[in-house]
Amino acid sequence: MEYNFFTFNIVTTALSIVISLIIGFIVFSHKTKSITSRFFIYFIISTIGWSIVNFLSYQNIPYFSHLFFIRFVMFFATLQALLFYLLMYVFPDNIKVLPKYFKIVIIPSVILVAFLTLTTYVFKDAINYESGISSPVHGVLLPVFGFTAISLVFFGLREIFLKRKRSTGNTKQQIVYITRGVLIMFLLIIIFNFILPVFLSNTSFITLSSFFVLPFLFYTSYAILKFQLFNIKVITTELITFTLWIFILIRTLLANSLSDKLINTALFIIVIVVGILLIKSVRKEVEQREKLEVLTGELSDANEKLKGLDKLKSEFVSLASHQLRSPLTAMKGYTSMLIDGDYGEINLEAKGALNRIFESSQNLMKIVEDLLNVTKIEQGGMKYEMAPFELSEVAGSMTKDLSITANNKGLKLNFKNECEGNTCMVNGDKEKIRQVVLNFIDNSIKYTKEGEINVTVKKLADKVIFSVLDTGMGMTPEIKATLFQKFARGDGARMNTSGSGLGLYLTKEIAEAHGGRVWVESEGLSKGSQFYMELNAI
């Protein structure tokens, strides 16, 4: 019976120690830099030390007296009281600087008292009874120990109750949890370590004192971790691993034969190593995922800011373009009047300068119009007045209008209508489609030094295709891939510096708004290009 009781005591003590270590490890590993976590793990270490010597103080161990272990029970109890107070003082902060009087007065004084408990000043001797229970003989400084321990516990309780009164929200909920743990722990200690031994002479439960601290550890660890962003996958892995450790440890402690103990011990060591590696692996995976989530969130925020900046940019461009349009119109109008002689005869040299001003103002007006159209598209304000019209008529008319410009460069501009009757009818905004036709033909004229340009309209199945084939500078596949993007001009900037790089982007947007598409084909540099617009026929 005595052997069974001893086995029960050692198993329960070992179990409480392992559970305390598990709780401490989980809390500390998730918040290594937190001052609360550090004091919590210090408190657990002192509790483990106290649990061990408390258990040994009731055992008959050769070469050691009961007095030796009783003194160490008081030693660790003093440290427990100090760490309990410090934990209550810093909880639940991650960063907190202890006042100077803590470091200079309180902590050194308590440590001094702790070491005094190991001397004859606190316990002179211990009287051993036949039952195996020792009764210590009090020393002169025992009241100092009692006052120190009780004061620290009192001020620790006072600290946590004041925080509970002052705090709100999540902090208050954390303090509620830790308060429950404190009350349950002290209630168990008072009942089983004070009331039963003093009033009923029942000391059977004193060896289980290490279990009485567990409610406090459970509630405190839960309070520390509850509102922190740690992953359930890591916690689950840790709990399963630690449970397996406890199970094998108990098997080792309860093993009857030496061979079983050796096998279980070896297994225990292997499981510990594998478990640590597994926990590290899972934690690394979770940390990487959490970092990715943070980066995704930051990227999303940055994207929203960019959208806001893009909107501001579009609004600015729209405002600036509107403000530029009026003076440019006036410049263009008065220059035209001067050229036409409305203000009298002008010599040829001055007229040449005025023609260059007129052309520049025209180019600038086109850039302003492009900017305004891009802004409208980006803001969703581009309006389309849809109606049926013959695409071949628009292409033929635009070819005729631009033929003079082509002839002035020594280029031949041809138009080929492959539509029979009104078979190239499309439904769309005639003026917007005219812009696409103008842009394609005008670009071919600008970027072709010699040769000819062929404009064609034809119908294939249910599609109407408008194309412009030139003998100009051509392009590489890399240029083709970016040509219809905003501000993309390829190598054309070398031949024409006045372009905005928005014309082809607008043609793409207009065609797609009509349910069509645009594209370009070229066999390479100096081999010409062929631009296409495809629309649905009606």
Side-chain angles (χ1 to χ4, degrees):
M1 183 71 179
E2 185 178 344
Y3 173 77
N4 290 336
F5 185 71
F6 171 79
T7 303
F8 175 76
N9 281 342
I10 193 172
V11 169
T12 53
T13 302
L15 189 61
S16 65
I17 290 171
V18 173
I19 292 173
S20 300
L21 284 172
I22 290 172
I23 294 172
F25 178 80
I26 290 175
V27 171
F28 187 69
S29 63
H30 285 283
K31 293 176 68 65
T32 53
K33 296 182 180 180
S34 167
I35 189 171
T36 298
S37 295
R38 290 179 182 177
F39 277 120
F40 184 64
I41 196 71
Y42 298 155
F43 178 81
I44 286 177
I45 292 170
S46 67
T47 299
I48 290 171
W50 176 79
S51 301
I52 293 171
V53 295
N54 184 66
F55 169 78
L56 294 175
S57 67
Y58 285 86
Q59 314 305 322
N60 289 313
I61 302 174
Y63 309 111
F64 289 97
S65 65
H66 286 274
L67 180 61
F68 176 83
F69 293 115
I70 290 172
R71 285 174 175 170
F72 269 98
V73 169
M74 296 300 105
F75 173 80
F76 282 109
T78 308
L79 296 182
Q80 267 187 300
L82 172 63
L83 292 167
F84 172 76
Y85 172 51
L86 293 175
L87 178 59
M88 296 301 99
Y89 182 80
V90 300
F91 182 87
D93 298 328
N94 290 325
I95 300 173
K96 190 166 187 175
V97 179
L98 295 177
K100 284 187 178 180
Y101 69 88
F102 270 57
K103 300 175 183 179
I104 298 173
V105 180
I106 295 178
I107 295 176
S109 300
V110 176
I111 291 175
L112 176 62
V113 172
F115 279 101
L116 285 174
T117 60
L118 302 177
T119 68
T120 57
Y121 294 106
V122 176
F123 289 125
K124 292 181 180 179
D125 201 353
I127 302 172
N128 295 327
Y129 297 99
E130 293 181 2
S131 61
I133 300 173
S134 296
S135 177
V137 179
H138 300 167
V140 293
L141 294 183
L142 181 62
V144 175
F145 160 77
F147 174 78
T148 302
I150 292 171
S151 297
L152 289 169
V153 171
F154 170 78
F155 282 109
L157 291 171
R158 178 177 176 272
E159 193 71 37
I160 202 66
F161 282 115
L162 286 176
K163 285 183 179 179
R164 180 175 178 177
K165 186 177 179 180
R166 293 193 300 260
S167 61
T168 57
N170 291 342
T171 304
K172 186 161 190 173
Q173 290 186 49
Q174 286 179 292
I175 293 173
V176 167
Y177 288 121
I178 200 171
T179 305
R180 290 176 188 171
V182 168
L183 293 177
I184 295 172
M185 176 180 69
F186 283 111
L187 181 64
L188 292 173
I189 290 173
I190 290 170
I191 292 173
F192 294 103
N193 284 20
F194 179 70
I195 295 177
L196 291 181
V198 173
F199 296 102
L200 301 177
S201 300
N202 186 349
T203 59
S204 303
F205 298 98
I206 293 179
T207 53
L208 302 177
S209 297
S210 55
F211 258 103
F212 303 156
V213 185
L214 291 182
F216 171 70
L217 299 183
F218 277 122
Y219 273 107
T220 304
S221 61
Y222 184 71
I224 293 171
L225 295 176
K226 177 175 173 59
F227 301 101
Q228 306 302 321
L229 298 176
F230 64 97
N231 194 280
I232 192 64
K233 187 176 181 180
V234 178
I235 298 298
T236 303
T237 304
E238 290 172 345
L239 288 176
I240 292 173
T241 304
F242 295 148
T243 303
L244 186 60
W245 290 355
I246 294 170
F247 175 74
I248 297 176
L249 177 63
I250 293 172
R251 280 179 56 88
T252 304
L253 294 173
L254 296 179
N256 294 321
S257 65
L258 179 61
S259 60
D260 285 345
K261 286 184 181 294
L262 291 174
I263 292 171
N264 286 326
T265 301
L267 181 62
F268 183 59
I269 294 170
I270 293 171
V271 171
I272 286 177
V273 173
V274 173
I276 290 172
L277 294 175
L278 176 63
I279 291 170
K280 284 185 177 180
S281 175
V282 173
R283 184 173 294 169
K284 186 176 181 181
E285 176 194 338
V286 170
E287 286 175 354
Q288 289 176 343
R289 190 176 67 191
E290 288 176 347
K291 286 180 182 178
L292 184 61
E293 289 176 355
V294 170
L295 289 174
T296 302
E298 291 175 352
L299 185 61
S300 178
D301 292 340
N303 188 45
E304 289 300 319
K305 289 178 182 178
L306 286 174
K307 285 181 180 178
L309 290 172
D310 192 56
K311 183 179 179 183
L312 287 174
K313 178 267 299 179
S314 297
E315 291 173 353
F316 170 76
V317 170
S318 177
L319 179 63
S321 300
H322 278 292
Q323 295 299 319
L324 285 170
R325 182 187 271 174
S326 296
L328 280 172
T329 303
M331 288 170 59
K332 184 180 175 183
Y334 281 110
T335 304
S336 177
M337 292 170 66
L338 285 169
I339 294 171
D340 292 340
D342 291 351
Y343 295 98
E345 287 295 323
I346 298 176
N347 60 53
L348 291 176
E349 187 177 352
K351 187 173 286 190
L354 288 172
N355 280 325
R356 286 194 291 274
I357 293 172
F358 183 79
E359 289 176 4
S360 296
S361 62
Q362 269 191 317
N363 290 333
L364 191 54
M365 278 286 287
K366 187 176 184 306
I367 291 173
V368 169
E369 288 298 326
D370 286 346
L371 288 170
L372 281 171
N373 286 329
V374 168
T375 303
K376 287 178 184 177
I377 288 170
E378 290 179 343
Q379 293 180 344
M382 181 73 89
K383 298 185 185 303
Y384 296 94
E385 297 179 3
M386 299 298 195
F389 67 92
E390 178 64 44
L391 182 58
S392 60
E393 289 182 3
V394 173
S397 172
M398 193 58 63
T399 302
K400 184 178 180 181
D401 292 343
L402 292 172
S403 60
I404 298 174
T405 306
N407 291 335
N408 290 336
K409 284 192 67 176
L411 301 173
K412 188 176 181 180
L413 182 59
N414 306 311
F415 175 67
K416 187 176 182 181
N417 182 6
E418 296 185 4
C419 303
E420 296 179 2
N422 292 330
T423 58
C424 288
M425 292 287 290
V426 296
N427 186 56
D429 188 315
K430 189 174 183 179
E431 292 306 313
K432 297 291 190 302
I433 296 299
R434 189 188 298 275
Q435 243 182 293
V436 178
V437 172
L438 169 64
N439 192 287
F440 280 5
I441 300 175
D442 188 52
N443 273 354
S444 290
I445 294 172
K446 286 178 181 176
Y447 300 120
T448 302
K449 289 184 177 180
E450 57 184 17
E452 62 180 2
I453 299 167
N454 295 305
V455 178
T456 306
V457 178
K458 61 184 177 180
K459 184 178 180 182
L460 290 176
D462 60 344
K463 305 293 182 182
V464 176
I465 298 174
F466 162 76
S467 65
V468 179
L469 173 64
D470 61 49
T471 56
M473 60 187 297
M475 63 190 72
T476 63
E478 290 77 18
I479 295 174
K480 283 168 54 180
T482 61
L483 198 61
F484 290 96
Q485 297 177 5
K486 277 190 293 187
F487 306 110
R489 302 185 61 202
D491 288 339
R494 290 189 284 109
M495 287 186 63
N496 176 35
T497 58
S498 63
S500 64
L502 294 172
L504 291 177
Y505 167 75
L506 286 170
T507 64
K508 178 177 79 73
E509 294 294 326
I510 291 170
E512 290 177 355
H514 285 75
R517 65 187 182 108
V518 293
W519 73 95
V520 63
E521 293 179 1
S522 177
E523 294 181 2
L525 292 175
S526 303
K527 294 183 179 180
S529 304
Q530 188 161 8
F531 287 83
Y532 293 90
M533 175 177 64
E534 179 185 85
L535 297 174
N536 295 320
I538 59 172

